[in-house]
Amino acid sequence: MRFFLLSLTLFFHFSNNVLADSWQQAKVDKKAELDLLWFTSRPFVQHNAKQELIGLEYELIETFGEYLQQKHQIELKLNWIKDKSFNNILTNINSSSKPNKFGVSAFSITEERKQQVKFTNSYLPDISVLVSSQGTPIVRDLEQVNKLMNNMVAVTIKGTTYEKHLLQIKEELQMNYEIRYIDSDENLLDHISKSDHMFGFIDLPIYLIWIKNGRDLTRQNFFTIRGIGYGFILPQSSDWDIPFNEFLADENYKTKISSIISKYLGNELYQFIDSSYDREQLGTYILTKEKEIQLALIKNANLKLEEEKTYKRILLLGIGVVLLFLAVIMYLFYNNQKTTKLIIAQKDQIEIQQKDIRQKNEQLMNRNAQLLALNEDKNNLVNILAHDLRSPLNNILGLSGIMTNESEKLSDDQKDYLDKIGVTANRMNQMITKILNPSTLENNNKEILKEEVNIDQLVEDLVSRYRPAAINKDIEIEVIKPLNNLTLETDHMLLFLVLENLLSNAVKFSPADTIVSLKVDKKESHIIFEVNDQGPGFTEEDKQLIFQRFQKLSAEPTGNESSTGLGLSIVKKYVKDLGGKVWLESEVGQGSSFFVSLNA
């Protein structure tokens, strides 16, 4: 029954944290996420100088998220993922089984692509024009087309409608011009403008922005192609085109969509492109717009010339003013000499300060040398301490060995005490070797031994050591552990020290006629030790300091025992060395429970 409830809880937890990937599911869950595959396509989607995503398609998708929140109360998470290339996005969307993938990179809607992917409705008319290097003549019939283009190089991007148009012209007109490919994030117009023998197709908005910025190319009016429009691509199984098409058609959002496109194309160019798609004489209409833009550029150039003339007049006036104030400047030069003297004095003061800093640096270096010497003294002291502690311990071990050999003269209790003396002395000898090792102290680490530890034997040794102290205080030590014998592969000595500190503290801080319990349990892949007492408990302030070194807390030992404030900091350090976790649960007046969890 417990396993069933746990599985049910995990199922609901997992379900509540998975975002919907289909539109139908999103309407139920009220939250979803979209993976947006994109590649640089200016001005549709790109990085700015701060490596932030911008572009009209980027803002359209962000506004779509706003629409879902307002219209359907659906929280939409957008994952913008840059793909390898324009063509790779088509491949990934075509092969994807996830309905929440979008392709974002100025995709022209074509019947051929509709066989591979699903398109949203068009958000902008798609008109392509053919441009050639500046100075190339405008062709007017097929004979001129062949004569001109057979001696030129076409430049395009693989997998785009630009390439498709070039291949179609090449096949239909039986031309043999070379086609040169560039990367998706490169600018076609840059390549064409830097040569005198290149041509290629480009989107009308990009071309008009180019000439509006004062750049020049030759547009071949003979090749102007209307497409179906620009849209976003989705897997064939996706149903996300439904809310997106609703978004494009929503009267409250049409103005926002127009504003976004106008922001990147300019309102004038956007209105022109939006109104030119259905024109019969499209080439002538575009030509009229080109002339209008060129006239505007000429007008701006004339205005700049007038501005330059005004600047020249102002410059001449400024020169007169400068000459007028030259005498004043000469006078100020005299005052500047005084300032120079003041700066020299300040420079001398700075040099004195620098000298003082050097002296302090030398003092710091000397202090550092003293600290190094003190550290060396500390290491020597540790060596002496380890040696001096081992000598009496060896005597204890030797004497206990002699007495063990004559054990027939001793009572059973004396034999038991003698065994405990030997075990305790051996353990202390191991502690000295491991803890007071100078290299261990210097490197702040311990050598962790992996050995099989019998938990029953460990608990029995631990409890037998502290039961006399507990009996003296009328405290009962209770052991709760599984019936089956548990083993654990860990460092026996460090684990013993951890539990010894916890059990010692429980006895030390518990009042008379109470129970201290040591519980052992195995949960999944962890063995958990729990030491409970019925002592005074810990305040919230105590809990913040409990595992820090040299902390004296509000609780006091009940039998006038001493406390250094180091025990629990040692526990935390050793548990960390063993790869486990230690924590406390306690309330004031309700006792305390310390937990140690180790990997089984």
Side-chain angles (χ1 to χ4, degrees), residues 328-431:
V328 177
I329 293 173
M330 294 301 295
Y331 172 75
L332 293 174
F333 176 77
Y334 171 75
N335 288 334
N336 184 58
Q337 298 299 314
K338 292 182 179 179
T339 305
T340 303
K341 292 179 181 178
L342 179 60
I343 291 173
I344 292 172
Q346 291 175 344
K347 178 175 174 293
D348 293 340
Q349 186 177 1
I350 290 171
E351 289 178 351
I352 293 171
Q353 291 174 346
Q354 289 177 338
K355 183 178 179 181
D356 184 54
I357 291 171
R358 285 195 296 270
Q359 290 176 345
K360 289 180 178 179
N361 283 338
E362 290 177 0
Q363 292 173 357
L364 287 173
M365 292 176 65
N366 292 335
R367 179 60 177 163
N368 187 52
Q370 291 173 351
L371 290 174
L372 290 174
L374 288 173
N375 187 58
E376 183 65 26
D377 291 343
K378 180 264 294 181
N379 288 339
N380 291 334
L381 179 61
V382 168
N383 285 328
I384 294 170
L385 182 61
H387 177 269
D388 289 351
L389 284 174
R390 284 193 181 97
S391 295
L393 278 175
N394 289 333
N395 289 336
I396 292 172
L397 288 170
L399 291 172
S400 66
I402 293 171
M403 294 180 69
T404 301
N405 293 334
E406 300 177 1
S407 58
E408 64 277 0
K409 301 177 182 179
L410 303 176
S411 67
D412 289 341
D413 286 343
Q414 289 172 333
K415 290 178 182 179
D416 183 51
Y417 294 150
L418 187 60
D419 288 341
K420 289 179 179 178
I421 290 171
V423 169
T424 303
N426 272 313
R427 186 177 295 119
M428 183 174 290
N429 194 27
Q430 293 172 6
M431 288 169 59

Side-chain angles (χ1 to χ4, degrees), residues 532-550:
N532 295 306
D533 65 56
Q534 298 173 355
F538 293 94
T539 65
E540 291 301 320
E541 184 179 354
D542 287 342
K543 292 177 184 179
Q544 300 298 320
L545 305 173
I546 191 75
F547 291 110
Q548 298 181 23
R549 298 167 62 187
F550 303 113

Side-chain angles (χ1 to χ4, degrees), residues 40 81 91 99 112-113 115 121 174 225 280 282 312 318 370 396 445 470 481 571 581-582 588:
T40 302
I81 304 167
T91 303
E112 180 184 359
R113 287 176 178 170
Q115 303 302 316
N121 289 344
Q174 295 183 348
I225 301 175
E280 291 185 8
L282 179 57
K312 286 180 180 178
Q370 291 173 351
I396 292 172
N445 57 23
K481 56 185 176 61
V571 166
K581 294 189 298 184
V582 59
V588 176

Side-chain angles (χ1 to χ4, degrees), residues 516-566:
V516 171
S517 66
L518 172 58
K519 300 179 183 178
V520 184
D521 194 10
K522 183 173 184 180
K523 294 184 179 179
E524 295 180 353
S525 60
H526 296 82
I527 291 181
I528 299 176
F529 299 89
E530 180 182 349
V531 178
N532 295 306
D533 65 56
Q534 298 173 355
F538 293 94
T539 65
E540 291 301 320
E541 184 179 354
D542 287 342
K543 292 177 184 179
Q544 300 298 320
L545 305 173
I546 191 75
F547 291 110
Q548 298 181 23
R549 298 167 62 187
F550 303 113
Q551 295 297 327
K552 294 298 183 71
L553 307 177
S554 57
E556 295 288 341
T558 56
N560 297 320
E561 297 96 333
S562 61
S563 176
T564 62
L566 275 174

